[in-house]
Amino acid sequence: MNAPLFTTLGCRLNAYETEAMKALATQAGLENAVIVNTCAVTAEAVRKARQEIRRLRREHPDAPIIVTGCAAQTEPETFAAMPEVTRVIGNHEKMQPETWAGMVPDLIGATERVQVDDIMSVQETAGHLIDGFGTRSRAYVQVQNGCDHRCTFCIIPYGRGNSRSVPAGVVVEQIKRLVGAGYNEVVLTGVDLTSWGADLPATPRLGDLVRRILRLVPDLARLRISSIDSIEADPALMEAIATEPRLMPHLHLSLQAGDDMILKRMKRRHLRDDAIRFCAEVRALRPDMVFGADIIAGFPTESYAMFANSLKLVEECGLTWLHVFPFSPRKGTPAARMPQVAGADIRARAALLRAAGEARAGAHLAAQLGQRHAVLMESPRMGRTAQFAEVLFDCDQPEGRIVSAQIHGQAGGQLLAVADGGRLSAA
């Protein structure tokens, strides 16, 4: 091993930051090191990070192991105490060139072993320009970091700091570079995406950024938005949803629950009727829109009747792709001090939610039979529709291209397709 080995756990923003770190490490001349970019969203995520570090030590017994990411930021002492770990660096430090330059001369000796400062003191987020993700299909662009809200179950603000936005001009420049490198789809990502712009001059909104990107990067075939908080959707974003065909008809919503009392105890800023109304309004503007959502099963104090409201929300909002999270208490959060639901009940409720999600996804896939879709190829035999459904082909297609395909079946949660005469679409 000469080039550093990177392992990424957690969210799309972590994936983006890993690519930026690869560039920083290469520029610094770092070699023969293992870097683990951790997640802290649940206690289970931290456990998996520790497990991954131990596995990497067994596979690379002589390589220094550098641990960073949200778990390193919120629990630096946990990782510093692991004998496998050489260095712990925080979420702000990992994006600084001088951090990586300082590791090269003496990875263990002269440089401080734990470099984790107060993330709440960070005022800006740099727009790191990267050229790719090791694939020719989809690229992620960080436009925002941190969060100003304090949901009672969430540790992430303490790992990411307060909300900071990347200026629109930097975002547009990044996307132009990616399109020039051959990418047909870009995903805007952040911790609290709909808060983008609140800290910038004139306080623009996410919808303003979306419309600016589509106007200034006409060669971008597809723009996709990652998880949003529906209560913060601005009028310009709604207009873009209604009028911009290059904005993909797929929104992932941070809903978390469907019961008003649980939403209040989570310190969410919406009620169940707000979520239902938003989905109805968006679907009226864009009939082909599909929704994904995050839902937590078994939040503290949740009765079965409260859970049933979350289960009903799947149908009432017309959700298609569910991310179900069995609640696990996160040390340092208010929810960890609330009366907990029994583990068996949490697992049973999560299973019911997953079953409801699978039924909704199956219905969506069945409705695509006989339809023609533009499919972005992620690998020679697999791509995704604009609504993010996976499509399998019976023969190889060029990775990264958009293929016009006829859907003729479904199996195992995927659509089956044949490219139109083997021809590629102009997109």
Side-chain angles (χ1 to χ4, degrees), residues 208-257:
D208 301 317
L209 177 64
V210 166
R211 293 197 300 180
R212 182 169 179 175
I213 291 167
L214 293 170
R215 184 177 71 252
L216 296 180
V217 195
D219 293 334
L220 174 63
R222 292 184 172 191
L223 181 65
R224 195 179 294 276
I225 299 173
S226 63
S227 181
I228 67 167
D229 201 337
S230 59
I231 200 68
E232 289 185 331
D234 61 276
L237 180 59
M238 300 297 277
E239 181 180 345
I241 289 169
T243 62
E244 295 284 3
R246 291 185 293 146
L247 181 62
M248 293 296 93
H250 165 232
L251 289 175
H252 192 83
L253 308 178
S254 179
L255 297 182
Q256 309 306 346

Side-chain angles (χ1 to χ4, degrees), residues 149-391:
H149 311 299
R150 297 295 182 264
C151 297
T152 58
F153 57 83
C154 188
I155 198 73
I156 297 304
Y158 305 98
R160 291 283 179 181
N162 291 317
S163 181
R164 294 100 64 199
S165 306
V166 178
V170 177
V171 174
V172 169
E173 178 62 27
Q174 170 74 94
I175 294 174
K176 285 181 177 178
R177 279 181 62 163
L178 290 166
V179 171
Y183 286 90
N184 277 313
E185 181 172 305
V186 166
V187 184
L188 302 183
T189 187
V191 175
D192 181 26
L193 200 58
T194 38
S195 71
W196 180 87
D199 56 327
L200 297 176
T203 59
R205 302 293 300 275
L206 180 62
D208 301 317
L209 177 64
V210 166
R211 293 197 300 180
R212 182 169 179 175
I213 291 167
L214 293 170
R215 184 177 71 252
L216 296 180
V217 195
D219 293 334
L220 174 63
R222 292 184 172 191
L223 181 65
R224 195 179 294 276
I225 299 173
S226 63
S227 181
I228 67 167
D229 201 337
S230 59
I231 200 68
E232 289 185 331
D234 61 276
L237 180 59
M238 300 297 277
E239 181 180 345
I241 289 169
T243 62
E244 295 284 3
R246 291 185 293 146
L247 181 62
M248 293 296 93
H250 165 232
L251 289 175
H252 192 83
L253 308 178
S254 179
L255 297 182
Q256 309 306 346
D259 181 82
D260 285 347
M261 181 56 70
I262 292 298
L263 288 166
K264 289 178 180 178
R265 289 171 179 165
M266 289 178 167
K267 289 191 69 174
R268 301 295 294 166
R269 285 159 297 132
H270 72 275
L271 300 175
R272 65 176 286 112
D273 285 349
D274 296 321
I276 296 167
R277 186 183 311 111
F278 175 80
C279 291
E281 289 176 357
V282 170
R283 197 169 278 116
L285 295 172
R286 190 81 176 265
D288 61 341
M289 180 67 72
V290 301
F291 297 101
D294 295 331
I295 299 183
I296 296 173
F299 185 81
T301 76
E302 181 187 76
S303 66
Y304 190 84
M306 292 171 174
F307 164 72
N309 284 332
S310 291
L311 195 60
K312 287 187 291 185
L313 193 71
V314 176
E315 292 293 333
E316 291 169 328
C317 283
L319 305 176
T320 299
W321 315 117
L322 287 194
H323 287 179
V324 177
F325 296 89
F327 178 81
S328 63
R330 194 69 182 83
K331 183 180 178 181
T333 63
R337 301 191 296 272
M338 297 179 184
Q340 303 293 305
V341 175
D345 291 337
I346 292 174
R347 291 188 292 273
R349 294 174 192 181
L352 288 172
L353 278 170
R354 291 192 180 106
E358 289 169 4
R360 288 286 312 178
H364 172 72
L365 296 179
Q368 309 313 307
L369 298 185
Q371 302 293 316
R372 180 169 282 105
H373 281 278
V375 180
L376 176 69
M377 299 306 301
E378 296 185 2
S379 68
R381 295 289 181 99
M382 194 280 284
R384 290 186 188 267
T385 67
Q387 290 98 345
F388 217 59
E390 287 191 3
V391 183

